[in-house]
Amino acid sequence: MTDNYKKFETAIGGRAVIVETGALCGLANGSCTVTCGETVVMANVTMADKPRVGQDWFPLGVDFEEKLYSVGKIPGGYRKREGRPADSAVLTSRLIDRPLRPLFPDGFFNDVSVVVTALSVDPEISPEPLGMLASSIALVISDIPWNGPTGSVLVGRIGKEFVINPTTTQQEESDLHLVISGTEKAVLMVEAGANEITEADMLAAIIFGHEEIKRQVEFQKTIAKKIGKDKFEFVATEIDETLVDRVTSYATSFLEKALNETDLEKRRAAESKVDEMVQDQFNDIWEESKKDIESLMYDIKKNVVRNKILEKGLRPDGRGTKDIRPIWTATGMLPRVHGSSVFTRGSTQVLNICTLGMVSDAQRLDGLDDEESKRYMHHYNMPPYATGEAKNMRGTSRREIGHGALAERALEPLLPSECEFPYAIRTVSEVLSSNGSSSMASVCASSMSLMNAGVPIKAACAGIAMGLIKDEESGKVAVLSDILGVEDFLGDMDFKVAGTEKGITAIQMDMKIAGIDEPTLKTALAQAKEGRMHILKNMNSEISKPAEKLSKYAPKIIIIQIKPEKIKDVIGSGGKVINKIIEDTGVKIDIEDDGKVFIGGMDDAMNQKARSIIESIVFEPEVGMEFEGKVMRTIEIGAFVEFAYGKEGMVHISKLGTGARVEKVTDVIKVGDTVKVKVIKIDDKGRVDLQRIV
C-alpha cells in the first residue's frame, strides 16, 4: 500500500462498513471505496480547473456504473460489454445526484463529475446506499467546494420494526422501501415505495432514517478532519450594483403587474412584453450586459412570486396555498387499445394507454440484482409540444425514466398477483401539456387506464406535487398543494406523494435549499393527503372500479398446471409438438419451469382447444380407462391407436373384439378408422396395451 492509504471503519444497520482511500485513483480530486460484506463501491470526483467561457450555470454530472463483472455475469449481445446504462443505473445516478446538487455553493460554475462504480456486489447487500455514501465521502475529502457531508440510508419495515439498510431477503418481507439523504440538520431527499403506509408511519420512518444519517455525517467529518484537502477558492461573479439598482427600479413594478395575470397564456404574454421593454430600456448596454440583466429579471420575478405567496397567500394563478386546479377526466376514448384515459388538472394533461400481454412479454432485466424480469412497466414520454416548445424529438431522457419509475412504483403495490391476473401489463403516459406535476398526473391517468382495461387493481391511486416557499430571514413558510411549473422553478421543494384513500404508495422529495425540518415535513404530508382525497373523488366520478370484462382486443389467458417432468412432452423434439398446437389453434403458449402453462389468444374456443390438447398430452392413462381413438397404422400382429393427443397404444390382433380368430388386422380395421378402446395394461416403460370395444 502507498503511504497515502487510509482506512476507516464504522457500522451501519448493524453491519461493518469500511472506507478506504489513498491507494487507488490518485489523479481524481477525491476518491474512496466503501465496503460492506462483499459489496464494494468506488466513488471518484473530479473538477475542471476553471469554468467554461460564458458558463452561467453549474454543470454537475453524476453516473452510477453497473459493471456486470461485479456479480459474475458476462454481458449479453454481440459486443459482450456494457452498453447504455440500464434504467436501474439511471435511477441510482439520480438518487446520488439529488442530495449533492443543492449543497454546491452559488456562483460555482466549474464542471464537476461524480462517478460511482459497483466493483463487487453481494446479492444480499444493495450497492445503492453505499454508493450515495461514497460520493459524499469523496467530495468531503476533495478540494471541490461543497457544503456537505450528507448521509444516506435505505429504510425498510418488517412487521412494526424499522430496519436500516435491510438485506435483499429482508426487503422481500418489508412493506416499505425508503431511501433518505440529508445533512445533520435536515432531510434533503426522499424516495419511497410503500404498501399503502400511513402519513404518520412514513414520517416516523423518515425521522428514524435521519438519526442514522446524523451518525454518518459525524463519521465523515472525522475522515475529513484527518485527510481532507483544502477547498478550492473561487470567486463568484457579481453583478455591478449600479446595474442591479437600475434594472430593479425600472422592471419591478411592470413585473408585479404582469404576474398579477392569473391566466397562463396572458401571464406569459405580459412577461414577454416586460422583457421587450427592458431590452429597449437598456438597449445601449444590452449586448455586453444581456446575461446580467436576464439574471436580474429572474431574481425580480422570483422575489415577486415568493413574496406574494408568503405575504398574501396568493399564487401566480390566483389560487390559495391548498387549492387544487380544476380537474376533468375521461376513459375509453381509444377503440382498439386495451385501456385508455385522459387526466387533466389545470393546464397539465396526460393521456395513458394500457396494454395487456402474455407473461413472456415481461421486460427482461440484465442488472446487478437477482430480478430477471419485470411484469409491470410504466413508461413516461414528454414531447416538446407539451410545453409549447419547438425542438427535435430525442431519445428517452433521464427525467423521463425517473418519472416513469415513480409512477410505476406508486401503482405496483396495487396490482393483482400473476396467479390472479396472468398478464404482463404496460402503461404509457403521453404528456400532452405540462405546467407542473405531470408525473403525478401520470399516476392518476395510469390508475384510471388500468381500471378501464379491466385490471383488478386493489384501489384507485392518485398523486399530487407539493411545493415550499421559505424565507430564511423571516422564517415564514408556505406549503403549496398541486404546484405549477413556475412554483417548482422558483420554489424550494418538489415533494410528490402518491397513494390511495388508505395510504401512501410512493414519495419523491427534492430540496433546493439545505433541507426540510420535521414540522414542515409533517405539514406537507398532511396537506398532500387532503389534496389526494380531493383528486381521488374526481377520478372516482369517472371510473370507480375495474371494468368487468377485458377489451375484445385483449388476449384471453388461461392457466393450467402440469408436472414439470411433462414439459418436454408438451414441447416435443425441437419444439415440434408445441409449434403444431400453436399452428392448429392460433394461440400463444408460455411454459414456466414450475409447470405453469399460459395459453393466450383472442378466441376463447381456440384457447380451450389448446388446453384440451395439452391436458391430453400430459395426462397419465390408467388401466380400465376407455377412449375413442384413431387408427394410426397397422402391423401384422395388431393396430396402433392414438387414444389421446400424441399418445398411442397397441391393440393386439387377438384383442380386436370380434369373438372369432382374425387372420388379417386390415380385415377388421383400417388406418383412419375411429374405434373405441380400453386400457388393459401399462408396462414399466409406459407402453400401453389396448382392447377394442365393439
Side-chain angles (χ1 to χ4, degrees), residues 255-261 267 271 301 304-305 308 316:
L255 264 179
E256 286 176 341
K257 184 177 179 181
L259 292 168
N260 278 332
E261 289 284 358
R267 186 165 66 250
E271 288 181 58
K301 178 179 178 179
V304 168
V305 170
K308 189 175 179 181

Side-chain angles (χ1 to χ4, degrees), residues 21-87:
T21 185
L24 307 175
C25 306
L27 296 181
N29 293 72
S31 177
C32 72
T33 61
V34 175
T35 302
C36 182
E38 294 181 335
T39 294
V40 183
V41 297
M42 176 176 66
N44 287 286
V45 296
T46 49
M47 172 184 66
D49 294 335
K50 56 184 178 181
R52 290 176 245 169
V53 176
Q55 186 72 34
D56 59 355
W57 53 275
F58 175 49
L60 172 65
V62 178
D63 292 283
F64 180 74
E65 297 286 304
E66 287 188 336
K67 301 296 186 181
L68 291 183
Y69 56 67
S70 68
V71 289
K73 292 182 182 178
I74 295 175
Y78 178 77
R79 297 177 69 227
K80 296 298 179 183
R81 67 178 296 160
E82 289 84 1
R84 292 181 59 186
D87 286 0

